[in-house]
Amino acid sequence: MSSSAVEIVQEFMRAFREQDRAAAERIMADDFVFTSPQDDHIDKATWLERCFPTAGHFSSPAQTLQIIPIDGLVLHRYEYAVDGLLWRNVESLEVRDGRVHAVEVYFGGSIGRVGG
């Protein structure tokens, strides 16, 4: 049974949150590319070394606000806390053949204090 693109993205996010590197690697395509305001088109190996270990930076796991498949992509809007502040980001993930091929992250600003 094949998973939908949304399910693949949810599995990828869970692997990151739980720091399950083996699961993340299975979900990532060999030609995986990651882009964010801090990372310009880095490859799979670089992402696994530089970005994957950062889950502990968040005060609590990110909460999905919306996850929408559109035009061959999955848009994932989420909220997370760091040092008492809430932040929101959007990611555009390209999923093909059951694997994540590309991620583009768009950073949002802080939306205020946790619980405030």
Side-chain angles (χ1 to χ4, degrees), residues 3 6-21 23-24 27 52 55 61-62 64 76:
S3 298
V6 167
E7 290 169 329
I8 297 295
V9 169
Q10 290 169 325
E11 289 175 30
F12 188 55
M13 296 304 158
R14 186 173 27 261
F16 174 75
R17 182 177 61 247
E18 296 174 1
Q19 289 294 276
D20 185 344
R21 183 176 171 134
I27 296 165
F52 183 76
T64 296
H76 180 224

Side-chain angles (χ1 to χ4, degrees), residues 74-115:
V74 175
L75 302 179
H76 180 224
R77 183 172 172 256
Y78 56 96
E79 178 176 281
Y80 60 96
V82 175
D83 297 330
L85 291 176
L86 281 175
W87 302 82
R88 288 189 181 146
N89 289 356
V90 173
E91 296 187 3
S92 169
L93 297 95
E94 180 185 346
V95 177
R96 286 185 279 115
D97 303 321
R99 297 246 165 89
V100 176
H101 286 261
V103 177
E104 293 178 358
V105 179
Y106 302 91
F107 289 169
S110 171
I111 60 166
R113 293 220 155 270
V114 174

Side-chain angles (χ1 to χ4, degrees), residues 25-105:
E25 288 186 71
R26 278 192 306 274
I27 296 165
M28 299 166 76
D30 290 338
D31 65 350
F32 177 88
V33 176
F34 180 87
T35 301
S36 79
Q38 297 172 337
D39 304 285
D40 187 17
H41 294 85
I42 62 175
D43 65 9
K44 180 177 181 175
T46 304
W47 185 84
L48 286 165
E49 177 185 317
R50 182 186 305 168
C51 303
F52 183 76
T54 65
H57 172 73
F58 303 104
S59 301
S60 60
Q63 298 297 310
T64 296
L65 301 173
Q66 286 101 14
I67 189 163
I68 303 163
I70 184 168
D71 296 333
L73 300 171
V74 175
L75 302 179
H76 180 224
R77 183 172 172 256
Y78 56 96
E79 178 176 281
Y80 60 96
V82 175
D83 297 330
L85 291 176
L86 281 175
W87 302 82
R88 288 189 181 146
N89 289 356
V90 173
E91 296 187 3
S92 169
L93 297 95
E94 180 185 346
V95 177
R96 286 185 279 115
D97 303 321
R99 297 246 165 89
V100 176
H101 286 261
V103 177
E104 293 178 358
V105 179

